Amino acid sequence: MTEPRQICTRCIMDTTDPDIVFDANGWCNHCTGWFARAEFYALSLEERTRRLGVLVEEIKRRGHGKDYDCIIGVSGGVDSSFVAIKVKELGLRPLAVHVDNGWNSEKAVGNIKRILDPLHIDLSTVVLNWKEFRELQLAFLRASTPDSEIPSDHAIVASFYGASSRHRVAYCMNGINFRTEGIHVREWSQGHLDSRYIKSVYKEFTRKRLKHFPLIPVTTLVRNIVLHRPKNVFLLDYLDYDKQSTKRMLISDYGWEDYGGKHYESMYTRFYQGWILPHKFGYDKRRMHLSTLICSAQITRDEALKEISVPPYPPEWVEPDKIFVAKKLGISREEFDSIMAAPKKRYSDYPNLQNHWAFGRGLDLFRFLKHRLHWIS
Ligand SMILES: [Zn+2]
C-alpha cells in the first residue's frame, strides 16, 4: 500500500521527495532550510551593494596583470546574459565559457553572440565530442536514475576549472539565484561533480571507457573544494534581480530572442525536465522553483498551486519531441519507450565517489572536521 501524499503547508514541496521531513506545523525541511539560509538576502540592498563593492575590488586586485579577472558561464539564457552585462558594468574583465553539448537551439547560440559581442567579452566554447556524449547520455537514460543531466553539468564545471587553471583566475561569477533556485532535492539529481559515477554508468552500458569527455579528476576536485578554487560568487544575490524586467531589457537593448520557457535554450533539458522526469520518476522540478518563489514572497502559495496543476509539458509536444530525441540519440522510438518503462534506479545503485570505500570515509572525515572546527570556533 502506498503512503498518502503529504504536501507542505507553507510551500508546495511534497512527498515526491522521499527524504522530505515535516515539523509540527506541517512545514517542510526545504522551506525551513531556505529561511535559515536567507540571512544574507534579508540584508538591505545598500549593505549588499557595499559588500559587492568590496568583493569587486578584491577580484580586480587579484586579477591584476592576468588576462582576465573572472570566469562567467554563458548559456544564452536570461540569468547568465544578465551576469555578463553586470560584470562589465562593475568594471571586471571576464572570460565567458560555454559548453556545446550538441543540444543547444540555434537561438541560444545567436543570443550568446548578441550579448557578448557588444560587450567585447572573449568567449571560450568547449565542444563535446558528440558521438561519445550521445553514448553517455544514452547510458544515463538506460541507467534509469533521474540524473541524466549530470554529464552536461559536470562538463560545465570541468570547463570552469580548466579555464580558471589555464588563466590563473580565482573567481567565477555565477548566475544561480538563491531567491529563485534556493531549494534543491538531492534525490532528484545528484552526482554533479562525481567522475566515478559518470565513468561507471558509461562503462556499464557501453563496455567502453570515456576518452574525450572532460572529467574532473578526483585530486583536482578535492584540491579545488579545499582551496575554494575558483571562488563562486552568486552575483544575483547581491542585487534586487527581477527576471521579467531583465528579459524585457535584453530584448530591447540587445535584440535577445525569447525561448518561451525556463531552460528552453536546450531542447534536451526542456524535454528531460518537462517530460522524462515527471513521467518516469514523478519528479516535477517546477515544484522546487515555485516553492522558492513562495519563500522569497514573489508569488503566493495559491498561485503556485494553480501553476503546478497545469501539465509540465504541453501534451501536443510529447510525441514529436519523443521522436526527435530518440532519433538524435540514435535509437528507435520502441527502444526509447522500453527505456522509459524500465524500473527506476538510484545514484547509490552505481559505483560513485560516495560509496567508494576510501573517498567515502575521507568525505565523512572532512564533514566531521568541518563540523568540529566550526563548533570550536
Ligand atoms: Zn515547505
Side-chain angles (χ1 to χ4, degrees):
M1 205 177 94
T2 52
E3 294 284 322
R5 189 166 150 267
Q6 185 178 351
I7 182 166
C8 175
T9 54
R10 183 163 55 178
C11 70
I12 59 166
M13 294 306 295
D14 67 4
T15 38
T16 53
D17 170 14
D19 299 323
I20 198 166
V21 178
F22 298 96
D23 66 14
N25 297 314
W27 296 347
C28 76
N29 56 305
H30 293 292
C31 53
T32 302
W34 191 96
F35 284 110
R37 295 193 310 276
E39 214 173 287
F40 177 79
Y41 188 72
L43 293 171
S44 68
L45 178 62
E46 288 72 24
E47 176 58 16
R48 280 178 283 140
T49 306
R50 188 193 67 76
R51 292 188 186 195
L52 179 59
V54 172
L55 182 60
V56 165
E57 287 314 308
E58 172 67 9
I59 296 171
K60 286 179 182 170
R61 192 185 62 74
R62 289 195 60 180
H64 186 71
K66 295 173 185 166
D67 300 337
Y68 308 99
D69 50 26
C70 62
I71 307 279
I72 56 171
V74 287
S75 66
V78 178
D79 299 344
S80 66
S81 298
F82 180 73
V83 168
I85 294 166
K86 193 68 196 173
V87 291
K88 286 297 280 191
E89 270 179 31
L90 292 167
L92 294 172
R93 298 178 296 112
L95 169 67
V97 174
H98 173 64
V99 174
D100 178 356
N101 68 358
W103 288 95
N104 290 338
S105 71
E106 278 185 27
K107 219 181 239 186
V109 177
N111 276 340
I112 290 172
K113 206 172 154 45
R114 281 179 201 105
I115 302 294
L116 298 189
D117 282 357
L119 295 171
H120 306 290
I121 295 177
D122 289 347
L123 172 65
S124 166
T125 299
V126 176
V127 182
L128 301 184
N129 178 296
W130 170 246
K131 183 174 175 292
E132 186 183 72
F133 188 68
R134 181 180 68 79
E135 291 173 346
L136 181 58
Q137 282 194 305
L138 198 49
F140 262 87
L141 280 185
R142 290 197 164 113
S144 287
T145 64
D147 306 325
S148 280
E149 288 277 76
I150 292 302
S152 293
D153 292 345
H154 190 91
I156 290 169
V157 179
S159 304
F160 287 172
Y161 281 1
S164 143
S165 157
R166 245 185 341 273
H167 298 284
R168 298 181 299 126
V169 177
Y171 288 91
C172 182
M173 309 300 276
N174 203 307
I176 294 173
N177 183 356
F178 183 67
R179 284 185 80 210
T180 56
E181 298 170 299
I183 290 178
H184 175 73
V185 178
R186 198 170 62 158
E187 190 64 23
W188 292 4
S189 70
Q190 57 185 319
H192 297 75
L193 301 176
D194 194 331
S195 57
R196 187 170 186 243
Y197 180 40
I198 293 171
K199 283 193 283 190
S200 66
V201 167
Y202 184 75
K203 197 169 177 200
E204 177 150 346
F205 293 94
T206 66
R207 299 282 142 215
K208 294 193 288 186
R209 286 177 191 278
L210 285 164
K211 283 186 188 162
H212 307 286
F213 184 76
L215 286 166
I216 302 169
V218 176
T219 46
T220 304
L221 179 66
V222 171
R223 189 193 63 207
N224 285 3
I225 288 175
V226 171
L227 300 177
H228 291 280
R229 204 159 60 184
K231 280 192 177 63
N232 252 318
V233 176
F234 297 96
L235 182 62
L236 303 182
D237 288 339
Y238 287 89
L239 315 163
D240 276 349
Y241 175 63
D242 177 336
K243 195 160 187 158
Q244 290 312 317
S245 67
T246 299
K247 195 187 271 191
R248 287 194 293 274
M249 179 274 290
L250 292 176
I251 293 167
S252 65
D253 295 3
Y254 291 86
W256 184 90
E257 292 183 16
D258 197 358
Y259 303 99
K262 188 174 166 64
H263 291 310
Y264 281 18
E265 59 267 33
S266 163
M267 201 276 164
Y268 191 73
T269 302
R270 180 182 85 183
F271 188 60
Y272 191 75
Q273 294 199 3
W275 190 77
I276 297 179
L277 269 185
H279 175 80
K280 173 156 180 164
F281 299 92
Y283 302 158
D284 189 340
K285 285 201 165 180
R286 294 178 305 168
R287 203 169 276 286
M288 301 189 308
H289 177 61
L290 290 166
S291 290
T292 318
L293 293 180
I294 295 170
C295 291
S296 56
Q298 297 187 65
I299 54 169
T300 65
R301 188 170 177 275
D302 284 344
E303 285 166 343
L305 284 170
K306 196 173 165 199
E307 200 166 326
I308 202 83
S309 68
V310 176
Y313 212 63
E316 65 277 17
W317 290 10
V318 175
E319 207 47 37
D321 285 0
K322 201 192 281 187
I323 292 166
F324 178 83
V325 168
K327 192 176 173 201
K328 188 152 170 146
L329 289 174
I331 55 174
S332 67
R333 159 69 204 280
E334 290 68 31
E335 194 175 357
F336 183 85
D337 283 342
S338 75
I339 291 172
M340 287 301 106
K344 289 184 279 187
K345 295 277 185 73
R346 307 176 67 192
Y347 169 74
S348 54
D349 290 325
Y350 295 91
N352 60 53
L353 286 176
Q354 301 261 8
N355 60 26
H356 182 269
W357 70 272
F359 190 89
R361 282 182 193 178
L363 198 64
D364 289 345
L365 181 67
F366 176 71
R367 283 179 183 143
F368 173 75
L369 288 174
K370 201 174 159 193
H371 176 72
R372 283 299 286 249
L373 289 172
H374 179 69
W375 178 68
I376 289 165
S377 64

